[in-house]
Amino acid sequence: MEKKAPDTTPVVLMNFTHVYEQESFYKKEPHCWIDLTDLEGVNGYCDENAGKAIRERIARLSPYGLHFIDSGNYHYVSKFWTDRIREDFVLVLFDHHTDMQPSRFGELLSCGSWVKDVLDENPFVRKAVIIGADKHYLDHIDEAYRDRLVCFTTDSLGMGKNWRAFAQAHVRLPVFISIDKDVLSPKEEITDWDQGNMSLAMLEGILQILIRRHRILGIDICGECPELLGEGLEAVRVNDTVNEKLVNFLKDQIFMKNNRAVICRIEEPDFGCEERPEGRPAACRVFLKELPENGDGSRCKDKVFAMLMEEKLLEERGLAEGMKVVLDEDGTLVKVLETGGL
């Protein structure tokens, strides 16, 4: 079912398996459907005829958008979107797998080889950063790619200074982000591949830094679970919920990048003493409302959105409920002075 949309649409739904028809996260957003259900030679691998058809069907849409690309079996579609970028960029991949394996069928593009193919064929990609992959998969990457590839396991990541320091050193170009939800823990998401142990909060924390510090060229999200359609209502519900959270989070972060807000509520740290992982700083959930252009907090819009911020930073910067704030370069909140400066 092809649903017409203008040339630029915030949410693009690539319909291979009908799985998004069971979800509702996109219904409040401007969106369009790309119907791919009639194609053969697309599941896991993409043959030449199918690849040509997919490229033709996305040709009228910009790669500079938010694309939901169905199951991880179709993650290779990210190559088709990035092929259309005509400026130097860094590919940032959140995935439990590296997608750097040679294709088992010669030159045939696959969901497990597409990152390797991007590095081989795209003259504009300067580096790929893989976040959340299992060490077992990292150990099998060809040494020839090591100078253009940086990898982080979930255990080596933090939401704070470590990642920001890395981004300052290695991610100085515009960024294209590709997210396979199998990077998330099974406690938070249900996919049709083996999964990692990243929390949604950690994923959002890194995305927040990327959005604040870099120009984002586009974002792809995959990881649906179509094999359970008709019998896995829980999988549909969980995927729908995670997708909705990601859409709302990305909208809020992109808005906050260029606008001011007022703190309307601060909740206590999100981890209890027994549950907070060792070495992870306590983080509060900060609820914000948009400030009108005249800066009068009494006329804030009704929409409230939230972000995580380290408790220690909140205290150091003297941030409290009712204060006007903006996002700093590192993706954290700072006060807006009454003069309008920072």
Side-chain angles (χ1 to χ4, degrees), residues 206-252:
I206 301 169
L207 287 172
Q208 177 179 295
I209 295 169
L210 289 170
I211 291 169
R212 183 54 186 167
R213 296 185 69 92
H214 308 285
R215 183 159 62 90
I216 306 301
L217 300 180
I219 302 174
D220 293 342
I221 299 175
C222 68
E224 306 310 302
C225 204
E227 291 184 1
L228 296 180
L229 280 181
E231 59 183 81
L233 295 180
E234 179 65 8
V236 171
R237 184 193 67 79
V238 170
N239 275 275
D240 194 23
T241 298
V242 171
N243 288 339
E244 182 175 21
K245 287 180 179 179
L246 285 172
V247 168
N248 289 335
F249 174 82
L250 292 168
K251 283 172 52 184
D252 292 342

Side-chain angles (χ1 to χ4, degrees), residues 9 31 64 71 87 102 136 163 180 198 235 243 261 286 303 313:
T9 306
H31 64 274
Y64 303 95
S71 160
E87 59 181 301
H136 167 75
W163 174 259
D180 190 330
M198 185 180 289
N243 288 339
V286 183
K303 178 175 171 52
L313 274 180

Side-chain angles (χ1 to χ4, degrees), residues 1-9 11-13 31-35 53-64 67 80-81 84:
M1 57 181 180
E2 183 75 2
K3 302 181 182 180
K4 300 300 181 183
D7 289 341
T8 55
T9 306
V11 177
V12 176
L13 300 160
H31 64 274
C32 73
W33 292 74
I34 304 297
D35 184 21
I54 293 171
R55 292 175 187 274
E56 290 175 350
R57 295 184 195 187
I58 67 174
R60 66 188 179 88
L61 295 170
S62 169
Y64 303 95
H67 321 113
F80 298 150
W81 289 112
R84 298 171 58 199

Side-chain angles (χ1 to χ4, degrees), residues 180-205:
D180 190 330
K181 292 182 294 177
D182 69 17
V183 76
L184 295 173
S185 162
K187 296 178 181 178
E188 302 211 42
E189 177 63 297
I190 301 173
T191 74
D192 51 3
W193 287 84
D194 60 307
Q195 292 180 228
N197 61 354
M198 185 180 289
S199 68
L200 185 60
M202 177 177 279
L203 173 60
E204 290 180 345

